[in-house]
């Protein structure tokens, strides 16, 4: 996996992000002191779960030759009492049986980002010169 690097961008909170040769932005909403030029860090976290879920479903359905035309995954994150709650809605499109839909729901819980967020996480931080 490529390392992600963040550094100050333009405006009060914008961050310039790179992952290998890819360049993108993160920012806060205007109402939260940013310029709104990119997704917030929490939106990227939700996007990671949504994208990983959809990719996992596509790979599994392909291997099992299921007729999954699309998986639309919507993630919302809310914080209450220092607890982050991820609400994930999955819309499966295609000619799928009830059993296939149920199996795909089980597989959604096995996507690597779901596992990372639901499991133990360690963050190791150090200052470098």
């Amino acid at each position: 996996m490529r390392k992600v690097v963040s550094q100050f961008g333009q405006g009060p909170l914008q961050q310039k992000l790179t992952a290998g040769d890819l360049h993108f932005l993160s920012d806060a909403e205007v109402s939260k002191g940013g310029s709104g030029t990119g997704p917030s860090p929490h939106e990227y976290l939700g996007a990671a779960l949504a994208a990983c879920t959809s990719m996992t479903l596509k790979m599994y359905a392909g291997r099992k030759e299921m007729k999954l035309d699309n998986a639309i995954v919507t993630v919302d994150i809310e914080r209450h009492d220092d607890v982050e709650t991820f609400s994930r809605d999955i819309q499966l499109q295609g000619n799928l049986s009830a059993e296939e839909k149920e199996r795909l729901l089980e597989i959604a819980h096995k996507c690597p980002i779901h596992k990372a967020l639901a499991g133990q996480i360690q963050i190791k931080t150090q200052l470098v010169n």
Side-chain angles (χ1 to χ4, degrees), residues 44-91:
Y44 273 117
L45 194 56
L49 178 59
C52 185
T53 300
S54 189
M55 284 180 189
T56 300
L57 294 175
K58 185 174 188 174
M59 288 188 299
Y60 181 84
R63 281 196 311 270
K64 298 298 182 178
E65 298 182 1
M66 292 180 180
K67 294 187 181 352
L68 177 64
D69 297 329
N70 200 359
I72 301 168
V73 182
T74 305
V75 174
D76 188 28
I77 305 172
E78 294 182 4
R79 184 179 184 90
H80 297 287
D81 299 325
D82 290 334
V83 175
E84 302 284 339
T85 300
F86 291 74
S87 297
R88 178 173 56 180
D89 295 329
I90 301 171
Q91 180 183 359

